């Protein structure tokens, strides 16, 4: 078993990386590269870890991390609910067999069509994010003759120690209603005044890739205080507090170990009122460590005294995160063993951008050569879901591995798929 962010079945056997009992050379031969290799056993185990940590609460998997119909079926089997943030994610949830009543619908700018679909499909809860949305949703629910359950998204003014692009709990955010400015209190009044809406809880989310519980507990304390104040003011009971997701993962050696789900739950429960049901929305912490991105080396370009560039057959189209906000990864030579001394290289993609860099300052054997396979761990979250067709590159498949068997749960995109879109 390999540690530091690799799936639990990852092992180095006979000079080759194996995941789920399948060697990477066999996977590359059958499914091609680039490819995301997803350890099904790891995914199920991480779902179970969250379910066990919160048996009397709600665990909503954050679908934006990675979603496909097969994953929806796994979530259903594990007893997890699902959060989505677009009509497209909602459609995938339903296609995978998830009961819409177990879906929470997020988003800061849901369209009228998306809200109408949520109401007509009887989505379990809509997280309202603006005054305009409260008004629209109330009208749609009234028109349909139903009472729609909602949570109010609150920005608690907690700055998570993460990159500014994935920090969402501060005052200056496009998400939610400001606690400090009194907007959250006004949102509570508007929802309670709408006969077609039912206030089932409050929601906050402070950011992503967080490894310190301090931000979670501070947000929980502020949200609990606000919840109790709203209950006193209006003479109601608000039964649920959803603290979102954001728990980090190990992406490379030396990264801090994140708290375990049970530790997070224990920490925030200390500050919650006894009657409040806790909900969480883990995405990355479930999907992230489950997958390995597999690439083939195409060229090795050495600039004496400057750098050595190892170019692979993917790049920013299948992992935009390093270019977007400096996400740091590691990689290993996965298809063979080598006794050559290590040298630092830069692993880059095939796209027409100087910023198309996957891994910087990576020690690889000095004899790395075209045809070698490189494996990048912690690739299960926000890679396939954020993948693009930049330079008209087709998106890779997702291959689930378990007990020595492999199957594509998302097939490789083809050029025919791209051309089909053109008039």
């Amino acid at each position: 078993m390999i540690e530091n962010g690799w799936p639990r079945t990852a092992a180095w056997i006979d000079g080759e990386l194996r995941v789920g009992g399948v060697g990477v050379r066999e996977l590359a031969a059958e499914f091609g590269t680039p490819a995301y290799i997803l350890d099904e056993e790891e995914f199920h185990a991480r779902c179970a870890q969250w379910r066990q940590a919160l048996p009397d609460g709600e665990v909503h998997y954050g679908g934006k991390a990675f979603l496909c119909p097969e994953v929806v079926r796994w979530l259903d089997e594990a007893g997890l609910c699902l959060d989505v943030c677009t009509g497209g994610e909602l459609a995938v949830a339903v296609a995978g067999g998830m009961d819409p009543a177990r879906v929470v619908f997020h988003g800061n700018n849901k369209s009228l069509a998306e809200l109408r679909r949520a109401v007509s499909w009887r989505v379990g809860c809509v997280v309202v994010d603006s005054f305009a949305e409260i008004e629209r949703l109330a009208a749609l629910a009234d028109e349909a003759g139903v009472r729609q359950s909602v949570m109010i998204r609150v920005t608690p003014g907690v700055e998570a120690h993460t990159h500014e692009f994935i920090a969402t709990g501060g005052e200056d955010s496009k998400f939610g209603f400001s606690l400090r400015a009194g907007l959250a209190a006004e949102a509570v009044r508007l929802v309670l005044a709408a006969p077609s809406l039912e206030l089932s809880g409050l929601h906050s989310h402070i950011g992503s890739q967080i490894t310190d519980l301090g931000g979670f507990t501070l947000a929980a304390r502020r949200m609990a205080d606000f919840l109790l104040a709203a209950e006193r003011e209006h003479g109601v009971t608000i039964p649920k507090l959803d603290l979102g997701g954001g728990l980090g993962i190990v992406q490379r050696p030396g990264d801090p170990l994140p708290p375990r789900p049970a530790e997070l739950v224990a920490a925030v429960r200390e500050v919650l009122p006894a009657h409040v049901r806790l909900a969480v929305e883990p995405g990355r912490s479930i999907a992230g460590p489950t997958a390995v991105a597999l690439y083939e080396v195409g060229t090795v370009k050495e600039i004496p005294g400057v750098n050595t560039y190892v170019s692979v057959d993917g790049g920013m189209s299948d992992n935009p995160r390093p270019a977007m906000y400096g996400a740091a990864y590691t990689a290993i030579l996965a298809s063979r063993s080598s006794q050559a001394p290590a040298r630092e290289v830069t692993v880059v993609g095939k796209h027409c951008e100087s910023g198309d860099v996957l891994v910087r300052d990576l020690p690889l054997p000095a004899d790395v050569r075209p045809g070698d396979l490189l494996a990048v761990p912690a690739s299960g979250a926000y890679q396939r879901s954020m993948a693009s067709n930049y330079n008209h590159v087709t998106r890779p498949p997702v291959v689930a591995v378990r007990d020595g068997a492999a199957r594509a749960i998302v097939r490789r995109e083809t050029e025919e798929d791209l051309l089909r879109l053109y008039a």
Side-chain angles (χ1 to χ4, degrees):
M1 177 179 173
I2 302 175
E3 297 180 351
N4 291 321
W6 293 86
R8 68 189 58 211
T9 67
W12 190 256
I13 300 175
D14 296 329
E16 179 188 24
L17 177 68
R18 300 177 72 86
V19 182
V22 188
V24 293
R25 292 193 294 264
E26 178 184 341
L27 290 166
E30 182 175 356
F31 299 100
T33 56
Y36 308 101
I37 311 303
L38 193 160
D39 183 346
E40 188 175 344
E41 182 180 326
E42 178 80 39
F43 194 98
H44 283 284
R46 288 181 170 271
C47 288
Q49 189 179 33
W50 275 103
R51 185 68 276 171
Q52 291 162 8
L54 194 56
D56 56 348
E58 298 177 17
V59 181
H60 310 147
Y61 171 74
K64 65 179 182 174
F66 171 64
L67 198 64
C68 70
E70 182 65 9
V71 162
V72 174
R73 288 186 278 273
W74 296 349
L75 297 169
D76 211 14
E77 293 170 5
L80 269 62
C81 300
L82 176 63
D83 93 56
V84 302
C85 56
T86 66
E89 289 182 352
L90 177 58
V92 173
V94 173
M98 179 71 72
D99 181 352
R102 292 172 56 205
V103 173
V104 175
F105 195 178
H106 287 273
N108 70 299
N109 187 28
K110 306 176 197 70
S111 69
L112 198 61
E114 287 175 321
L115 290 172
R116 183 176 286 112
R117 178 189 287 184
V119 171
S120 65
W121 285 9
R122 302 309 302 270
V123 162
C125 184
V126 176
V127 181
V128 291
D129 202 273
S130 68
F131 294 127
E133 184 172 274
I134 293 173
E135 182 180 350
R136 291 174 194 149
L137 186 61
L140 289 169
D142 184 62
E143 179 184 297
V146 300
R147 196 154 186 247
Q148 177 62 55
S149 173
V150 303
M151 285 190 287
I152 295 171
R153 178 154 181 175
V154 178
T155 50
V158 176
E159 299 289 349
H161 294 165
T162 187
H163 192 282
E164 61 177 318
F165 291 173
I166 52 178
T168 60
E171 286 295 317
D172 187 5
S173 172
K174 74 173 187 176
F175 298 104
F177 297 92
S178 168
L179 188 59
R180 186 180 304 164
L183 303 182
E186 178 62 20
V188 170
R189 296 185 192 103
L190 290 175
V191 168
L192 291 175
S196 60
L197 300 182
E198 177 184 0
L199 181 57
S200 63
L202 302 177
H203 178 280
S204 72
H205 178 70
I206 60 173
S208 298
Q209 190 55 10
I210 301 167
T211 58
D212 183 349
L213 290 179
F216 287 111
T217 54
L218 177 58
R221 187 174 293 108
R222 290 184 180 179
M223 292 295 294
D225 289 345
F226 174 62
L227 182 147
L228 292 173
E231 289 182 333
R232 288 192 298 269
E233 179 181 349
H234 299 286
V236 299
T237 297
I238 302 175
K240 181 166 61 180
L241 181 56
D242 188 333
L243 291 176
L247 190 64
I249 62 172
V250 173
Q251 291 190 171
R252 58 179 181 168
D255 282 355
L257 290 176
R260 293 188 298 272
E263 293 173 326
L264 187 153
V265 169
V268 299
R269 265 191 168 150
E270 289 185 2
V271 300
L272 295 187
H275 73 279
V276 173
R277 183 176 174 87
L278 176 62
V280 292
E281 295 172 352
R284 182 198 315 269
S285 63
I286 292 177
T290 66
V292 171
L294 190 63
Y295 301 97
E296 181 177 321
V297 175
T299 63
V300 178
K301 182 182 294 183
E302 183 174 358
I303 306 174
V306 179
N307 205 346
T308 297
Y309 289 97
V310 176
S311 298
V312 297
D313 54 355
M316 64 191 303
S317 63
D318 57 76
N319 185 5
R321 300 184 65 250
M324 287 178 65
Y325 36 75
Y329 288 85
T330 189
I332 63 168
L333 174 60
S335 52
R336 64 180 176 88
S337 58
S338 172
Q339 301 303 314
R343 65 172 174 180
E344 285 197 348
V345 304
T346 300
V347 180
V348 296
K350 64 182 294 178
H351 298 282
C352 192
E353 294 284 343
S354 296
D356 181 21
V357 176
L358 290 175
V359 188
R360 297 182 185 274
D361 304 322
L362 176 69
L364 280 182
D367 64 350
V368 64
R369 55 184 179 260
D372 283 337
L373 299 177
L374 299 187
V376 178
S379 293
Y382 303 107
Q383 291 192 26
R384 181 58 176 81
S385 62
M386 296 176 76
S388 75
N389 295 123
Y390 183 49
N391 289 152
H392 281 70
V393 171
T394 57
R395 288 177 290 184
V398 180
V399 179
V401 291
R402 186 169 192 171
D403 299 328
R407 60 195 174 98
I409 59 173
V410 180
R411 69 167 174 83
R412 182 179 298 281
E413 207 169 34
T414 66
E415 291 179 357
E416 287 73 22
D417 292 325
L418 299 181
L419 295 172
R420 195 174 291 122
L421 298 175
Y422 296 121

